[in-house]
Amino acid sequence: MKTKLWVCGILLLFALYIGMTFTQAVRFLSTGELIAQVMGVAILVIPAFCTWVLIREVLFGLRTEKMGKSLAAAGELPMDLPRMPSGRFVRAAADEDFPNHQRDVEENPESWKSWYRLALAYEACGDKTRARKSMRTAIRYWLQDTKVNG
């Protein structure tokens, strides 16, 4: 819940920023001077790109949360690995568990559930780049699955 409040706060601040930059862009565009108009276009393009990135990240979070809840409700999340006092996973346990999830993906390459669990395994091993890539693959298959199954 705390994370969601932070995200809402950031989104509100970002909306305020977008409103202010849009107003400034309109001012630059209406001057009639070429350099000011180029600046006005740049002021519109950069926030538009940032908006796209933000929407993409929020959707990533919402989708992974929904998928995780679905797996939890079905009792299909992997068992929690031992953790250090800091909260990080014990690396040896994560490394030992990883091949199981890798094999699961090899046996079920189009299963979003397998890809989701592999993403968690990568995260436990400390490989955030591969975890994110695997989660994006899980999302892609999950979206396909939800379209097929309604």
Side-chain angles (χ1 to χ4, degrees):
M1 183 65 171
K2 190 176 181 181
T3 302
K4 287 182 181 180
L5 288 175
W6 274 108
V7 169
C8 287
I10 290 168
L11 288 174
L12 286 172
L13 287 173
F14 191 70
L16 179 63
Y17 167 76
I18 292 297
M20 291 180 351
T21 56
F22 182 76
T23 302
Q24 199 62 28
V26 169
R27 285 182 182 164
F28 278 118
L29 290 170
S30 64
T31 63
E33 295 181 32
L34 181 61
I35 292 177
Q37 289 175 332
V38 170
M39 288 176 60
V41 169
I43 290 173
L44 288 176
V45 170
I46 293 169
F49 174 74
C50 293
T51 300
W52 172 76
V53 170
L54 184 65
I55 289 170
R56 186 173 176 234
E57 291 304 307
V58 169
L59 286 175
F60 179 86
L62 292 172
R63 288 170 177 161
T64 56
E65 180 182 28
K66 192 169 187 177
M67 291 164 37
K69 285 180 180 179
S70 174
L71 285 177
E76 296 180 17
L77 282 175
M79 291 180 52
D80 200 20
L81 297 172
R83 293 178 185 259
M84 297 184 290
S86 65
R88 291 185 176 182
F89 292 104
V90 173
R91 183 65 188 258
D95 288 343
E96 183 180 322
D97 186 50
F98 182 82
N100 300 325
H101 302 292
Q102 192 172 28
R103 189 173 32 260
D104 185 25
V105 165
E106 290 168 358
E107 293 171 2
N108 306 294
E110 294 184 5
S111 168
W112 69 264
K113 295 175 181 183
S114 298
W115 281 101
Y116 188 96
R117 289 187 288 261
L118 180 64
L120 295 179
Y122 273 125
E123 180 73 26
C125 290
D127 192 341
K128 294 185 184 304
T129 302
R130 288 191 177 134
R132 201 159 176 82
K133 185 177 179 184
S134 296
M135 192 60 78
R136 290 207 184 282
T137 303
I139 290 169
R140 189 176 73 242
Y141 286 123
W142 178 72
L143 289 172
Q144 290 174 0
D145 192 39
T146 55
K147 285 179 184 176
V148 170
N149 296 326

